[in-house]
Amino acid sequence: MCLGIPGQIVEVVDLGHHIAKVDVSGVRRNVNIGLLTGDDAVGVGDWVLIHVGFAMSKIDEAEATATREFLERLGDPYEQELAELSASSIE
Amino acid sequence: MRFVDEYRSGKVARELSHQIEKLLEPGREYKLMEVCGGHTHTIYKHGVENLLPPGVDLIHGPGCPVCVIPMGRVDDAIAIAERDRVIFTTFGDMMRVPGGNGCLLEAKARGADVRMVYSPLDALRIARENPDREVVFFAIGFETTTPSTALTLLRARAEGIRNFFVFANHVTIIPAIRAILDSPDLRLDGFIGPGHVSTVIGTGPYRFIARDHGKPLVVAGFEPLDVLQAAFMVMLQLAEGRCEVENQYSRVVREGGNPRALEAIAETMELRSTFEWRGLGFISQSALKLREEFGDWDAEVRYDIPGVRVADPKACQCGEVLKGVIKPWECKVFGTACTPEKPIGTCMVSSEGACAAYYNYGRFSRRLETLTT
Ligand code: SF4
């Protein structure tokens, strides 16, 4: 639960409830983007760091790639996080 | 100055390590504490310790949220989970954390409806889908996780969902650092500050460490080179006689943190007068509870919670590990009676716990593995 995982927003699902669909290493799930407001507001195409179903910060693509490579090298903890994300269904 | 390829290269690592070496005062021992469990994990997994010159020691701090939940709180969670009609939801990491009365996984095996969730919003969905049940979310974590619980509560209220309850165990990092600075058995030279917590609280709250305690702190990212560079920045401050709060992770962490997250926390939660930390004892104003306005969603209001205090097992030295007084392998039961399969203490449960990280990687990293392999 402590990992921040990078994902790319592929669709804004419910603007009112701040729900967007992200792609994280091929897994597509809904997350909440309500913590990113003002200058940090995000939309389709943007990269974010996700923590327990919430986008916590906006990052650039280079940062996202580097973080993903780092997590992939971590192995198990990242696999586990992806498995938990796959089981998630946020509305 | 950040290029993905160069970033993890051994060349940069060796250069940094060389630079750190040049800053050493002969004969001086340096102790730097990394506060965050994510850093502990990185350090052992990638053998960062091997890249530091002799005389520079990394001390692992209390920043693993699963590790600091006391036995009694786990028993309280189990008591709630075993009530009729309750669906108890938790992050997977908490399932195997031992209380005095076993762990949640055992409660589930005995028949309690305990479900792992990825997000508090999954718990809220389960409440929506099961209007005739009471769904309780075991909220744990430092400031990184607290905003998620806060936004979930706001959503529950907005939607009028009345069968969703939060069992709040959110802790705050600053009082824990303060407790460590005040503890007489430890001498530290500086801190490597947590990355994700700082995206929420910013860098301001650490200033007292530099100002009142005269210790440098550098907020760091999670990759091996981030940690190494932060160690270099702390050492440079020490060599130059400065003590400041610096930000190595500025590509993600803003000085002011995340105002929306802080606002959501303040709207839904307030400080408890005191809270027990595993191994560290009671620390005043170190945890959050729901505000009275959210009483309808507060598991501690809804249920009679036993609230018993259970002393840590005698053999367990997690307290000393969490304060950095001893290294994991110095605990008498490490790797024998206490293993990730059968943990005695919490530091062995979560992969961010110092004992588990050392058990999984440390023994190898101490021998051979370095960042470059
Ligand atoms: S080895 Fe086990 S009992 Fe000892 S400090 Fe680590 S987690 Fe606690």
Side-chain angles (χ1 to χ4, degrees):
Chain A
M1 57 155 290
C2 279
L3 295 181
I5 54 175
Q8 186 176 30
I9 297 178
V10 292
E11 185 192 338
V12 175
V13 177
D14 177 347
L15 200 58
H17 289 120
H18 310 286
I19 303 293
K21 180 165 286 171
V22 291
D23 184 307
V24 181
S25 291
V27 178
R28 290 187 169 206
R29 286 293 176 276
N30 285 350
V31 298
N32 181 297
I33 53 170
L35 291 170
L36 300 179
T37 52
D39 287 350
D40 284 327
V42 286
V44 171
D46 283 331
W47 290 88
V48 289
L49 263 189
I50 302 152
H51 178 76
V52 301
F54 287 76
M56 297 297 297
S57 19
K58 184 174 173 176
I59 52 178
D60 63 24
E61 190 172 352
E63 175 66 21
T65 310
T67 307
R68 197 187 59 236
E69 284 173 5
F70 166 69
L71 291 170
E72 282 166 358
R73 275 166 50 112
L74 269 189
D76 269 3
Y78 186 50
E79 298 283 306
Q80 169 115 27
E81 190 80 11
L82 284 181
E84 285 172 13
L85 174 69
S86 308
S88 160
S89 146
I90 290 171
E91 289 161 4
Chain B
M1 65 141 260
R2 180 144 195 274
F3 304 98
V4 174
D5 289 333
E6 173 203 281
Y7 202 66
R8 247 176 250 102
S9 81
K11 224 173 113 208
V12 181
R14 278 191 299 274
E15 180 55 30
L16 269 170
S17 149
H18 184 62
Q19 294 292 339
I20 293 175
E21 207 170 336
K22 288 206 287 197
L23 296 171
L24 298 179
E25 247 173 66
R28 181 167 171 190
E29 297 274 317
Y30 297 83
K31 287 185 192 301
L32 315 184
M33 174 174 276
E34 91 276 3
V35 176
C36 163
H39 287 151
T40 307
H41 191 116
T42 293
I43 286 163
Y44 280 137
K45 167 92 186 178
H46 296 277
V48 174
E49 290 197 311
N50 292 352
L51 289 159
L52 292 171
V56 183
D57 200 10
L58 291 175
I59 308 287
H60 318 304
C64 156
V66 173
C67 304
V68 300
I69 298 291
M71 305 268 272
R73 279 312 256 194
V74 176
D75 288 347
D76 290 343
I78 291 174
I80 299 172
E82 289 186 327
R83 295 180 73 99
D84 281 350
R85 297 182 58 224
V86 163
I87 299 175
F88 193 83
T89 57
T90 174
F91 295 132
D93 296 24
M94 279 310 292
M95 288 295 263
R96 282 169 352 104
V97 173
N101 186 20
C103 63
L104 280 164
L105 199 63
E106 286 159 357
K108 185 180 167 74
R110 287 197 296 265
D113 193 345
V114 180
R115 304 187 193 179
M116 277 191 328
V117 288
Y118 169 68
S119 167
L121 284 174
D122 282 313
L124 189 64
R125 170 185 45 82
I126 294 173
R128 233 182 256 124
E129 290 168 356
N130 294 276
D132 53 334
R133 303 284 298 275
E134 297 183 1
V135 176
V136 181
F137 175 64
F138 195 4
I140 64 148
F142 284 94
E143 284 89 339
T144 330
T145 323
T146 318
S148 312
T149 304
L151 285 199
T152 304
L153 277 166
L154 291 170
R155 176 92 186 260
R157 182 173 71 178
E159 275 186 55
I161 300 180
R162 305 313 285 260
N163 64 327
F164 174 73
F165 304 93
V166 167
F167 181 41
N169 292 273
H170 285 299
V171 283
T172 56
I173 195 74
I174 296 296
I177 297 180
R178 210 183 282 275
I180 280 170
L181 282 165
D182 290 341
S183 128
D185 39 0
L186 194 65
R187 187 192 62 84
L188 292 170
D189 296 281
F191 289 91
I192 294 174
H196 292 150
V197 162
S198 307
T199 60
V200 175
I201 67 174
T203 55
Y206 303 114
R207 273 192 210 120
F208 79 98
I209 299 172
R211 191 188 55 224
D212 304 341
H213 297 269
K215 318 260 184 224
L217 179 141
V218 177
V219 169
F222 287 90
E223 307 189 28
L225 279 187
D226 288 331
V227 177
L228 204 58
Q229 193 181 8
F232 167 73
M233 290 166 75
V234 172
M235 293 295 291
L236 188 64
Q237 288 198 38
L238 291 171
E240 293 176 350
R242 290 181 292 128
C243 57
E244 291 161 20
V245 175
E246 291 179 320
N247 185 3
Q248 182 276 339
Y249 198 34
S250 59
R251 52 191 205 270
V252 175
V253 171
R254 304 275 170 79
E255 216 181 302
N258 182 325
R260 175 64 196 126
L262 293 171
E263 189 184 275
I265 296 173
E267 193 178 345
T268 53
M269 289 173 234
E270 62 189 4
L271 281 173
R272 292 175 192 270
S273 58
T274 186
F275 191 73
E276 189 189 0
W277 292 53
R278 188 169 312 218
L280 300 180
F282 285 88
I283 304 178
S284 70
Q285 308 209 313
S286 64
L288 299 163
K289 62 178 181 186
L290 300 200
R291 282 188 182 282
E292 221 175 287
E293 301 91 285
F294 285 84
D296 287 350
W297 292 272
D298 188 347
E300 286 174 278
V301 171
R302 172 78 184 181
Y303 307 111
D304 245 345
I305 302 216
V308 276
R309 239 209 112 201
V310 184
D312 290 334
K314 269 221 169 61
C316 176
Q317 289 187 274
C318 290
E320 278 106 314
V321 168
L322 288 169
K323 279 191 291 197
V325 176
I326 64 165
K327 294 282 187 176
W329 62 88
E330 291 171 327
C331 172
K332 283 180 220 60
V333 291
F334 176 84
T336 51
C338 185
T339 61
E341 290 71 46
K342 252 196 144 306
I344 291 180
T346 39
C347 309
M348 195 56 103
V349 178
S350 157
S351 64
E352 272 96 26
C355 294
Y358 183 73
Y359 187 90
N360 290 328
Y361 313 113
R363 294 166 302 168
F364 309 111
S365 85
R366 269 166 77 79
R367 256 185 275 140
L368 268 180
E369 196 187 300
T370 71
L371 207 95
T372 51
T373 56

